Structure formats: structure tokens, C-alpha cells
Amino acid sequence: MLERLVNFDPLTPVGLLTRAARIYPEKEAVVYGEKRYTYRQFQERVNRLASALTRAGIGKGDKVACICPNLPPMLEAHFAVPTIGAALVTINVRLSPREVAYILNHSDAKALIVDTEFAELVKAKLDEIPNIQLFINVCDVSDEKPLDGPEYEEFLLTGAPDPLPNLLEDERDLISINYTSGTTGLPKGVMYSHRGVYLNVMGEIVEHGLNRDSVYLWTLPMFHCNGWSFPWAVTAAGATHICLRKVDAEEIYRLIEREGVSHLCAAPTVLIALSKYPRAKEVKMSRHLRVVTGGAPPAPTVIKNMESIGVEVIQVYGLTEVYGPHTLCLPQQHWKDLAQDERARLMSSAGVPNATAQYLDVVDRLTMEPVPWDGKTEGEVVMRGNNVMLGYYKDPAATWEAFKGGWFHSGDLAVITPLGYLEIKDRAKDVIISGGENISSVELEFIIYQQPDVEEVAVVGVPDEKWGEVPKAFIVPKAGTNPSTQDILDFCRLHLARFKIPKYVEFGELPKTATGKIRKYELRSKEWAGRDRMVN
């Protein structure tokens, strides 16, 4: 027992702020508009929030929910809530009141921190969330307090600036619950542990080169997988957080110049907006900028556009169940000598596991045997290790199903190249089976993205009396262009086998999640409405 006291300390990200504040007390930690907090002030605000929550009756084992954009209160909650032994539940601001009420009830949340812009999401269902004992209003765009509870800054004053004792008993204790999105059923609560977060934080620091001089711009929502653990990672490095209420390409570039931004994470839609911003080439990059992007693989054209203004784009792949990114596309040294088109193609792959997420494989879905590294044989992506979720909250059956065979089953289909790089081919449910032939929607999207007039594309299977289902492409044209269906089909004929060519093309906006992922199931459901699915 004595040895354990000397050589063991439970892994948790909570103490990372304490260390940063001790080493860099007067260094700028958080910037939001005209507000600037040093690490000393950041720590005091976190301590006050933790103390105020405790005095309000919130403690170990409780759940604190947060509906808030990327503001200082959201960042502070990532430290204050786990400090008191509670778990943080961050909620997507784009959900409906019904979905928000479901998450608040399912998570057993006792307190809710909510930005007033999104208070209607809660007010509309107040009678359905009786478990919430404390509402805290974040008055960023308005001084009104729409919910019956204190204003955030007033609430902080009810707490003390002194640190609270660490209540962590087990590093596998629950630190947060993140609810999945983008599925047809009710969202599942993905449970993260202190240990998993801590190790994921170390992986982000190592792989993305975060240090005390780094400046991180918040474009990725903190409510998505706890911002891929960057609230804790940026703090651990002693770097600077630049908070941003709304994503706007012009404002992003302004902050990149003014604050000397070195890192940001971007959903695919944000990356596209940045790549096509008319004045992008006029931006004066004062330092190297790394943009980490996940979701749909970025089109090589987007990567080329960003590289042309001096931005390094790193593709990552993961899921909510693995704390966000599990892999990243690390360039090989010789890639720098390749033609830009070929380098961009290689950089759009899912890559290799990060430093603290080493266990990943692609296996035959029936036998669980690994597929050969030939870049051709498809299988399911499976993962295990420290950054796999504890399980689904209050759903042991779904947890068992996800963990069958001792691996987490992603449901994604992929190949592994001879270099050991992962290339995602499709979601298992998104494969189009047409006349017995398997067609990868991702492959079709990759080709169609290269058509000069295409901004965004999603391909799904739609019913067909002869073939069972056939591909249909939903396309957002680039501004100022007006491609026809024939233009798209002619381009596809140059690059695809005949049976893979979309039978239908539709132009218009695409439904998306808050993190920029296209909601394919909505497109698919609309096409299959009123009909039984003719294939599995």
C-alpha cells in the first residue's frame, strides 16, 4: 500500500489546469472578444464555479448539463464539473426541444448551464424535465434571464476562488457523457472516463505539437466529443484558447491574423468555407497553421486550396465512442516530393492510430480475422484500448453488442494499404447493393467531388424495381456555377464503371449535423418512405 502511494496517481485531466496556472500564472489562457483571462484568472473562475455548484447541492456522482456555444463558461465547465466528482453532459445546440429533453432526462442531469440564445430549447419542454434542480443563465447576447435561475457571472460570485480537494477515487470514474447524433433512433449516451480523457489529451499534444506558444481557435464545437479533448489538451500545454461564438470564415481569418492562431479543428463544412473564402489568399499567415479535420474525408481540391495559402491540413478519423479522433493521416517524408494532386489524395486518407490509440484493425465481419494489407480487401474497422468508451449509459445491451469479440465495432468499412494506412470505404449501412454488386458511396462521392462545379455531394441508395437499389447523388453546386445532371453523369462515365454511375442526380442543400456531417439517413429515408427496403 505504501508503494502505491509513492508510485501511483489516478490519471485525470482535472489537475492539468492547476499545473498550467502554477507555471504560467500571468500568461494569457482564454480570449473571447475583448475579454482576456490569464491562467491565474482562468483557474480562479473554475474554482468559483466548482465551489458554487457544490454550495448549490451538486456533488459527486451528479450530472451537470451544458447547452452553450464555444464560450468561456463552456470551457470552464470542462474543469469545474469533474473537479467536484460530477460528470459533464454537453448538448448539441442544434437539437430539437424534444431531443434536448430526452438527453436531460436520460442523463439524470441535476443542473443545467444554458446560453440564453438557446433557452427556448429548454423552455419548450420545462414540464418534461423535473429532475433539473438548478438553471444557470449564460447571458452573452442578452441580459435577460429566460430561465428561473442565476446569471452565470453572478453564480460564480457565490463560490470561492480557492481550490477544492480532489474527489477522484478511481481513474475509470465517469467524467462526461456525450450523446451520439446522426442516427435514426434515440441518441445513446457515450461514457468517458478520467483515464481515457487524460491519455487522449496526451495523444493530442504529441500528435499535433501543442506547446506553451500554441494558440488554439475554437471552431469545433466543445459539445462534440468534448471538443476532441482539446479543452484539456490546450490547457495542459499552457497554450491559449481563442473562444468563438459562431463560425464565420471572415472572422476566423481575422482571428488567425490578429491572435497568431497555430491550431484549429474544423468540421468538413468549415474547411470548405475556409478553402473557398474569396480573400483567403490575402491572409497574412504570421506562423504555421495546422487545421485538423474529421468527418467525411476532405476532397483533394480542398486540401490543395488550403495548402496554397500555407495551411497544413491533417485528416483524422474516429467516432464519439472513441473520444473523437482515433487515427490521423501522418505524412511520410517522401510525400513532400510528390505532385500536389497525388500528395493531396494520400493526405485525405484516415491514416494510422495516434500515439495513445494503438489498437486498430480491419477485420472480416464474420470471422473477425484481419484482412490483408493490400489496399483492396474490405472489412470492418475495430478498435480497443484506453480511448474506447466505458460503454453506453444505462444501455448494457447496446454496450455488449458494440464490444463483441473484445473489440469496439465501428460499423465502418475500410481497407488497409501496404503502408498500413486506413482508408475508409463506407459505413456498412451506406453500402449500396445494386443487382448483387456492392457500390461504395464514399468512392462515388470522392469522384464526384472532383467535378469542377461540385461544392458538396452525398450519395445514397434509392429504390429501383429492377436492381433493388441504385445510387443517387445529392449535390450542392459551387457558387456561380449551374451544372446539369448530364454534366455530372458525363464526368462519372470518365472515371467509374458503368454500374456505379448514379442513376439520379438532385441539386440542393444537404441536411447536416452540428459537426458538419451530412445526414445521409435523412436523404435515404425520404427516398424510401412508404416502401420496404428491398435489400439488407
Side-chain angles (χ1 to χ4, degrees):
M1 186 64 184
L2 178 61
E3 290 84 356
R4 186 174 175 84
L5 290 174
V6 173
N7 59 36
F8 176 80
D9 187 45
L11 299 180
T12 173
V14 171
L16 298 174
L17 173 57
T18 302
R19 176 182 182 274
R22 187 182 70 187
I23 301 172
Y24 310 112
E26 304 309 320
K27 183 180 184 295
E28 230 169 44
V30 183
V31 175
Y32 176 55
E34 300 306 312
K35 297 176 182 176
R36 292 177 182 265
Y37 302 129
T38 65
Y39 264 103
R40 187 197 308 277
Q41 293 169 323
F42 181 23
Q43 183 185 34
E44 287 181 354
R45 288 175 62 83
V46 165
N47 290 343
R48 284 185 180 278
L49 177 56
S51 173
L53 287 169
T54 300
R55 293 177 181 182
I58 308 300
K60 188 170 178 60
D62 289 333
K63 315 297 187 302
V64 177
C66 199
I67 305 175
C68 190
N70 289 342
L71 305 180
M74 183 67 138
L75 183 60
E76 290 155 8
H78 275 78
F79 287 91
V81 173
T83 290
I84 62 174
L88 181 65
V89 182
T90 56
I91 299 178
N92 186 333
V93 299
R94 296 185 184 177
L95 295 180
S96 68
R98 179 186 63 83
E99 292 168 313
V100 169
Y102 171 81
I103 291 173
L104 289 173
N105 284 323
H106 186 269
S107 67
D108 304 310
K110 287 177 64 175
L112 174 61
I113 301 170
V114 58
D115 183 89
T116 54
E117 181 183 353
F118 306 102
E120 287 301 321
L121 295 176
V122 180
K123 289 181 69 177
K125 297 287 183 177
L126 267 180
D127 58 336
E128 297 180 19
I129 49 173
N131 51 305
I132 302 293
Q133 301 174 9
L134 172 65
F135 293 100
I136 305 168
N137 297 275
V138 177
C139 300
D140 184 53
V141 294
S142 168
D143 291 333
E144 294 183 13
K145 294 186 287 187
L147 295 169
D148 186 16
E151 186 271 331
Y152 183 83
E153 296 297 330
E154 294 172 354
F155 185 68
L156 290 190
L157 294 178
T158 68
D162 309 309
L164 275 69
N166 186 355
L167 298 179
L168 183 67
E169 296 176 357
D170 186 335
E171 60 185 12
R172 285 173 57 84
D173 280 354
L174 184 64
I175 191 172
S176 67
I177 305 175
N178 286 278
Y179 280 79
T180 58
S181 62
T183 62
T184 52
L186 291 170
K188 294 192 286 290
V190 176
M191 297 187 290
Y192 291 179
S193 70
H194 284 252
R195 173 185 173 83
V197 166
Y198 183 92
L199 291 169
N200 207 49
V201 163
M202 295 303 118
E204 301 291 12
I205 292 172
V206 168
E207 299 292 10
H208 298 297
L210 291 169
N211 58 51
R212 64 188 179 189
D213 297 320
S214 300
V215 178
Y216 181 88
L217 177 60
W218 274 105
T219 59
L220 178 78
M222 288 188 218
F223 61 67
H224 178 58
C225 306
N226 295 119
W228 295 352
S229 295
F230 276 82
W232 298 293
V234 174
T235 302
T240 301
H241 298 267
I242 309 296
C243 291
L244 181 64
R245 183 178 184 88
K246 292 183 178 179
V247 172
D248 173 79
E250 184 173 1
E251 178 65 4
I252 289 172
Y253 278 119
R254 186 185 74 82
L255 289 170
I256 287 172
E257 283 195 62
R258 189 185 80 176
E259 304 295 341
V261 173
S262 61
H263 295 76
L264 65 87
C265 297
T269 49
V270 175
L271 192 62
I272 290 170
L274 293 177
S275 73
K276 70 175 187 177
Y277 178 60
R279 297 179 54 200
K281 292 189 176 180
E282 299 175 20
V283 176
K284 297 185 175 92
M285 296 285 182
S286 60
R287 63 188 302 184
H288 177 266
L289 173 61
R290 171 176 280 214
V291 174
V292 184
T293 187
T301 302
V302 172
I303 294 177
K304 287 192 295 182
N305 289 346
M306 297 304 290
E307 284 184 346
S308 69
I309 60 172
V311 176
E312 177 189 20
V313 178
I314 298 293
Q315 166 74 0
V316 296
Y317 159 76
L319 302 92
T320 303
E321 288 86 345
V322 292
Y323 295 67
H326 189 95
T327 73
L328 73 165
C329 190
L330 292 173
Q332 297 288 325
Q333 284 187 322
H334 69 276
W335 289 5
K336 66 179 183 297
D337 300 322
L338 298 175
Q340 189 180 37
D341 285 351
E342 177 62 11
R343 185 175 67 253
R345 186 188 69 80
L346 291 170
M347 289 301 297
S348 65
S349 85
V352 295
N354 72 44
T356 55
Q358 300 177 41
Y359 299 104
L360 173 142
D361 213 337
V362 176
V363 301
D364 183 283
R365 301 186 78 201
L366 295 177
T367 67
M368 285 293 290
E369 289 296 315
V371 303
W373 289 17
D374 58 7
K376 298 177 182 177
T377 308
E378 288 190 10
E380 183 184 16
V381 182
V382 293
M383 304 96 143
R384 61 182 174 86
N386 296 303
N387 70 326
V388 173
M389 66 173 178
L390 292 171
Y392 295 114
Y393 187 58
K394 297 194 296 192
D395 197 343
T399 301
W400 184 89
E401 183 69 21
F403 289 171
K404 283 192 303 186
W407 291 83
F408 167 68
H409 292 258
S410 70
D412 290 327
L413 301 182
V415 300
I416 296 186
T417 71
L419 277 177
Y421 279 59
L422 183 72
E423 290 187 357
I424 304 298
K425 293 301 180 183
D426 222 333
R427 290 288 294 171
K429 63 186 178 184
D430 290 336
V431 171
I432 302 163
I433 306 174
S434 185
E437 296 279 4
N438 284 9
I439 301 173
S440 166
S441 64
V442 171
E443 179 190 7
L444 268 63
E445 290 161 0
F446 181 83
I447 294 299
I448 296 171
Y449 260 123
Q450 297 176 56
Q451 207 279 348
D453 297 334
V454 172
E455 185 72 60
E456 292 183 275
V457 60
V459 175
V460 302
V462 300
D464 183 86
E465 291 185 4
K466 181 178 180 180
W467 303 110
E469 62 179 346
V470 293
K472 178 174 180 177
F474 294 83
I475 292 172
V476 179
K478 287 182 179 176
T481 68
N482 187 30
S484 66
T485 296
Q486 197 60 47
D487 292 334
I488 302 300
L489 297 180
D490 287 345
F491 185 83
C492 288
R493 289 190 181 97
L494 295 174
H495 302 280
L496 293 166
R498 184 175 178 181
F499 74 91
K500 295 181 180 181
I501 296 171
K503 190 169 183 179
Y504 307 102
V505 177
E506 183 176 316
F507 298 97
E509 292 302 311
L510 296 173
K512 295 174 183 173
T513 68
T515 55
K517 293 181 181 178
I518 297 168
R519 294 180 181 267
K520 281 191 176 184
Y521 76 84
E522 287 190 13
L523 299 173
R524 189 184 298 109
S525 297
K526 182 180 68 174
E527 298 293 329
W528 288 87
R531 299 189 56 163
D532 292 328
R533 191 74 187 259
M534 289 176 277
V535 294
N536 292 324

